Amino acid sequence: MALKRGLTGVNRIRGGGGGGSRSAVVILVFLCVLAPLIFFVGRGVYFDSSSNDYSNASSVKQSLVDWRERLAMRSLRSLFSKEVLDVITASTADLGPFSLDSFKKNNLSPSWRQVEEVDTSFKQNQTTSSIVNAKRDTTTTSKGGSHQKVETPEKLYRRQLREKRRERRANELVQHNDDTILKLENAAIERSKSVDSAVLGKYSIWRRENDNDNSDSNIRLMRDQVIMARVYSGLAKLKKNKTDLFQELQARIKDSQRVLGESTTDADLPRSAHDKLRDMGQVLSKAKMQLYDCKLVTGKLRAMLQTADEQVRSLKKQSTFLAQLAAKTIPNAIHCLSMRLTIDYYLLSPEKRKFPRSEYLENPNLYHYALFSDNVLAASVVVNSTIMNAKDPSKHVFHLVTDKLNFGAMNMWFLLNPPGKATIHVENVDEFKWLNSSYCPVLRQLESAAMKEFYFKADHPTSGSSNLKYRNPKYLSMLNHLRFYLPEVYPKLNKILFLDDDIIVQKDLTPLWEVNLNGKVNGAVETCGESFHRFDKYLNFSNPHIARNFNPNACGWAYGMNMFDLKEWKKRDITGIYHKWQNMNENRTLWKLGTLPPGLITFYGLTHPLNKAWHVLGLGYNPSIAKKDIENAAVVHYNGNMKPWLELAMSKYRPYWTKYIQFDHPYLRRCNLHE
């Protein structure tokens, strides 16, 4: 019955058409045969066969895995670029499962790459040893059955590189820190060198009173308050509705200035200073709330700074002018002394005006000194200091030359105060009839219209303070140029020691006559340092006459204490050389006025250097001369503007000079001359 029904169904199908029967058969076969196979492949099922069939099962598993990878790559190809897929493929082929570290290493971005080049042989050796160690660790782990995480060779290599980078960076930071500290220390040292403790005094950063950061803090605070009050008062003045604030600020400024006065330390301030500080602080706070504008305040401070800078420049020029003016003047007390002595001298009878031992004046076997001065007090110090330090004063002879105005005063002083057993003689330069304009180029040039205009015309375009020192009256006086005519003044002497009137003698000078000048004319102490006081400082080397005949780096020397060999002088015609160059400098194109530049030219190659201990210079301008050098010097020279008889003198050097003055002398007391 059943068979019959089946045949009947088949016949019905056939009757329905051949195409429909074939489709049904295919579907039936697919469901019965292929569906189970796909199910087992998808699940990754494999059969645990015997040991003989293990290799076949492994190959089947590997083929299934390869099939899964291809299927996955087909799906990923639509999501990632070709470069990323290459990285994934390489990572999968070399290391099995995909590794993010491998992606970082092989990615095209340079931020994941190592910048530094490492030695190839070192990298290969280290990588090889790392791989061997990694394999050994992997084998040991697999044998031991442990599940610890093991680094791959590339991870190990990258970790080592990171550690090296950290170490190198740490070393760089330490080195940078050391360099920064060293730079700061060097900068602090340079700043400390720029502070001259001798000049700035208490403002030196190394002094004890500046160890305290709050030293004189009230003084500084009050000055800062005044500056800010001026800023705000200027801003308040511009606004019509701030009149009250402006007046209040002005009142506080006056109060603070009154309290400050001439105070330089907190100890000098009055008791009311703290109240003034508080009151000013309150007004400034009020002004800040009402007026503060960063741009306006900055502009006001900049304007104040510029004004202060201009004032400083003006004051410097004025100070230079006044210093030069003061250096040219004679103090009233010394002028008084000269007038009183002159009056008393001309009241003397001619017989009482003569000095004793006049026969020694031309004796070449004695020690002769030349001193040209118009300052009675200064000349007396030179003579007194020389005699007081001489071993045998009776062998010393002083030749003084002065001008007509001071001739009587100079004679009267030494008649009243004879230099012990030493010989002294005073002459008047105006009585040297041979010294005239026809013989002396300087006198002839002083008579020219150009020179008179340079010296005496007030509205001369170069009458500023920079050229004021060249208008000093000493350059007009023949007493300053008489040093170039020593053989004419003292024709019978062989050697003479020339002294300026701004020196003091501290030791016996007789050994100077025993110094061998080696055929030179002038014995002097050289003054050049590394780059100071060389010929290019005094002479105009842009002039071909100077450039052709002299070395700009030749060492200069000092007037003030000079031993002259008068025999050699005459032999070499030194006065003639001086006349030649003085005539060439009529328009002042070779050097400025003065006697040192022509002296350097005249005695060029003819000067014998003396030991520096014979002559120490600079007490008239240099505040930092070592006390030891001064005390060990045979002659101390106050060259510069700060002469010891002026109020400009430096107080720490003045006692060396004043100890040779008898301030209880009647003439000095009458003229109010005191220490």
Side-chain angles (χ1 to χ4, degrees):
M1 189 68 179
L3 179 60
K4 184 178 179 180
R5 289 177 180 173
L7 292 173
T8 303
V10 170
N11 291 330
R12 286 178 180 173
I13 294 171
R14 287 179 179 175
S21 61
R22 282 192 296 271
S23 300
V25 172
V26 171
I27 293 171
L28 183 61
V29 172
F30 176 80
L31 292 174
C32 295
V33 179
L34 294 178
L37 179 61
I38 293 173
F39 174 79
F40 288 116
V41 170
R43 298 285 294 174
V45 177
Y46 63 91
F47 298 93
D48 189 7
S49 305
S50 61
S51 59
N52 295 331
D53 298 329
Y54 182 79
S55 59
N56 295 330
S58 299
S59 62
V60 172
K61 179 182 179 181
Q62 183 64 38
S63 63
L64 291 175
V65 171
D66 292 341
W67 180 81
R68 290 174 62 193
E69 289 179 356
R70 286 194 297 273
L71 187 62
M73 290 298 295
R74 194 176 296 113
S75 302
L76 292 173
R77 192 170 288 115
S78 62
L79 300 175
F80 298 101
S81 64
K82 184 178 181 300
E83 290 83 357
V84 176
L85 292 175
D86 291 341
V87 172
I88 296 174
T89 303
S91 175
T92 306
D94 297 338
L95 302 175
F98 176 70
S99 171
L100 181 60
D101 292 331
S102 175
F103 176 77
K104 289 180 180 178
K105 179 184 176 185
N106 296 302
N107 191 13
L108 297 178
S109 175
S111 61
W112 293 97
R113 296 177 182 173
Q114 177 66 20
V115 179
E116 282 193 348
E117 294 184 359
V118 185
D119 184 65
T120 306
S121 61
F122 174 76
K123 284 193 346 183
Q124 290 177 350
N125 294 336
Q126 190 175 29
T127 305
T128 303
S129 62
S130 301
I131 293 171
V132 172
N133 293 334
K135 287 181 178 179
R136 187 182 301 115
D137 295 341
T138 305
T139 305
T140 305
T141 305
S142 62
K143 287 181 180 179
S146 64
H147 297 283
Q148 296 179 356
K149 183 179 179 181
V150 180
E151 289 185 343
T152 63
E154 294 205 2
K155 283 185 178 181
L156 181 63
Y157 175 64
R158 284 193 295 274
R159 181 171 57 80
Q160 291 173 348
L161 289 179
R162 285 195 299 271
E163 292 175 355
K164 287 182 180 179
R165 283 199 299 270
R166 292 192 190 100
E167 183 179 358
R168 185 172 61 254
R169 180 57 179 165
N171 293 333
E172 289 177 356
L173 290 174
V174 171
Q175 181 66 29
H176 178 70
N177 191 34
D178 293 341
D179 293 342
T180 302
I181 293 174
L182 183 61
K183 289 179 181 178
L184 291 174
E185 290 176 350
N186 291 336
I189 291 172
E190 291 301 322
R191 284 196 301 271
S192 68
K193 289 180 180 178
S194 66
V195 178
D196 190 349
S197 60
V199 176
L200 299 181
K202 68 177 183 179
Y203 295 104
S204 170
I205 63 174
W206 304 115
R207 291 179 65 91
R208 287 185 177 179
E209 54 262 38
N210 289 301
D211 289 346
N212 181 8
D213 293 337
N214 296 322
S215 177
D216 300 330
S217 58
N218 290 332
I219 285 281
R220 292 196 296 270
L221 177 58
M222 191 169 288
R223 289 172 179 168
D224 292 343
Q225 285 183 338
V226 170
I227 292 173
M228 290 307 301
R230 287 174 177 168
V231 172
Y232 286 127
S233 65
L235 298 178
K237 189 176 182 180
L238 299 175
K239 298 185 178 182
K240 296 180 180 179
N241 58 342
K242 302 297 181 183
T243 306
D244 295 340
L245 181 59
F246 171 75
Q247 293 176 353
E248 189 175 2
L249 285 168
Q250 290 293 320
R252 296 304 177 195
I253 290 173
K254 291 179 180 179
D255 291 342
S256 296
Q257 290 177 336
R258 193 179 300 112
V259 170
L260 278 171
E262 297 181 358
S263 302
T264 56
T265 63
D266 285 355
D268 299 334
L269 292 174
R271 294 181 180 179
S272 60
H274 292 283
D275 296 334
K276 300 301 180 183
L277 280 169
R278 185 193 62 235
D279 296 342
M280 178 65 89
Q282 293 174 354
V283 175
L284 288 176
S285 298
K286 179 180 176 182
K288 183 177 180 181
M289 293 177 61
Q290 298 182 23
L291 300 172
Y292 184 77
D293 181 278
C294 184
K295 187 175 181 181
L296 292 177
V297 171
T298 303
K300 188 67 176 178
L301 286 171
R302 188 180 292 113
M304 291 174 63
L305 180 62
Q306 185 175 359
T307 303
D309 185 57
E310 292 175 357
Q311 289 177 349
V312 168
R313 292 180 184 177
S314 176
L315 289 174
K316 282 184 177 179
K317 291 182 179 179
Q318 185 178 2
S319 175
T320 303
F321 176 84
L322 293 176
Q324 296 292 343
L325 186 63
K328 295 193 302 181
T329 59
I330 297 294
N332 287 335
I334 296 179
H335 182 69
C336 166
L337 176 64
S338 180
M339 293 297 101
R340 287 183 178 275
L341 290 170
T342 300
I343 293 172
D344 291 346
Y345 175 75
Y346 287 108
L347 293 177
L348 293 176
S349 60
E351 295 80 13
K352 295 182 179 180
R353 298 179 184 177
K354 296 181 180 179
F355 291 99
R357 296 181 292 276
S358 59
E359 65 276 9
Y360 290 173
L361 295 177
E362 296 180 348
N363 186 347
N365 297 321
L366 300 177
Y367 305 114
H368 294 264
Y369 300 85
L371 176 61
F372 308 147
S373 175
D374 58 358
N375 188 326
V376 176
L377 192 63
S380 70
V381 170
V382 175
V383 174
N384 290 344
S385 62
T386 305
I387 297 303
M388 290 176 65
N389 292 284
K391 293 181 179 179
D392 187 1
S394 63
K395 295 183 178 181
H396 294 259
V397 181
F398 293 90
H399 301 267
L400 272 69
V401 180
T402 187
D403 55 15
K404 179 169 59 177
L405 183 63
N406 295 282
F407 178 72
M410 198 75 72
N411 276 281
M412 188 64 188
W413 177 264
F414 287 106
L415 287 172
L416 294 174
N417 307 280
K421 296 181 180 180
T423 303
I424 194 166
H425 179 63
V426 180
E427 295 181 272
N428 182 2
V429 67
D430 296 315
E431 294 180 358
F432 296 162
K433 302 303 180 184
W434 51 269
L435 196 63
N436 50 54
S437 58
S438 61
Y439 176 67
C440 178
V442 172
L443 287 176
R444 184 172 63 255
Q445 291 168 9
L446 287 175
E447 293 176 355
S448 66
M451 192 68 73
K452 288 180 180 178
E453 182 182 6
F454 179 80
Y455 272 112
F456 303 113
K457 196 170 182 180
D459 58 347
H460 194 274
T462 59
S463 60
S465 60
S466 60
N467 291 319
L468 183 63
K469 63 180 180 179
Y470 300 119
R471 292 172 175 77
N472 196 310
K474 69 179 183 180
Y475 297 130
L476 296 173
S477 173
M478 275 309 299
L479 289 176
N480 201 42
H481 295 269
L482 195 60
R483 63 192 69 191
F484 293 105
Y485 301 95
L486 291 176
E488 284 88 339
V489 181
Y490 311 109
K492 295 185 179 180
L493 300 181
N494 298 327
K495 276 189 174 184
I496 195 166
L497 184 65
F498 173 79
L499 298 176
D500 271 342
D501 62 356
D502 55 352
I503 63 104
I504 58 169
V505 179
Q506 300 185 127
K507 294 183 180 180
D508 183 34
L509 299 181
T510 54
L512 282 171
W513 274 264
E514 300 174 2
V515 174
N516 184 5
L517 299 182
N518 297 316
K520 304 295 178 63
V521 180
N522 176 26
V525 171
E526 293 182 334
T527 57
C528 58
E530 294 181 358
S531 60
F532 303 104
H533 299 291
R534 297 186 181 272
F535 271 43
D536 58 352
K537 176 181 174 63
Y538 303 99
L539 305 177
N540 178 20
F541 275 87
S542 63
N543 187 287
H545 296 291
I546 297 294
R548 219 173 18 242
N549 292 280
F550 305 101
N551 179 7
N553 293 319
C555 191
W557 45 267
Y559 271 125
M561 189 209 73
N562 305 82
M563 177 59 70
F564 290 112
D565 186 338
L566 299 183
K567 280 188 175 181
E568 200 68 29
W569 184 307
K570 297 173 186 176
K571 187 186 300 183
R572 295 180 180 269
D573 190 21
I574 297 299
T575 304
I577 296 174
Y578 164 70
H579 283 175
K580 169 191 170 184
W581 286 99
Q582 191 67 51
N583 284 324
M584 293 173 63
N585 193 47
E586 184 171 1
N587 295 325
R588 302 182 303 282
T589 56
L590 305 184
W591 68 84
K592 298 294 184 180
L593 297 177
T595 55
L596 182 56
L600 296 176
I601 290 177
T602 302
F603 296 101
Y604 183 66
L606 300 174
T607 299
H608 175 77
L610 299 177
N611 189 299
K612 292 184 181 298
W614 280 110
H615 187 189
V616 170
L617 300 103
L619 277 73
Y621 68 90
N622 186 0
S624 57
I625 302 175
K627 184 178 180 180
K628 182 180 179 181
D629 293 341
I630 297 175
E631 293 176 349
N632 292 335
V635 171
V636 173
H637 196 171
Y638 292 83
N639 58 313
N641 288 333
M642 301 179 184
K643 302 299 184 186
W645 55 83
L646 299 175
E647 292 184 2
L648 295 173
M650 284 180 271
S651 57
K652 66 177 182 178
Y653 297 149
R654 203 165 185 268
Y656 296 107
W657 188 79
T658 56
K659 71 178 182 180
Y660 295 106
I661 300 176
Q662 295 180 353
F663 286 99
D664 58 347
H665 194 283
Y667 278 88
L668 300 186
R669 286 205 310 268
R670 266 184 254 166
C671 291
N672 294 322
L673 267 167
H674 48 79
E675 293 188 54

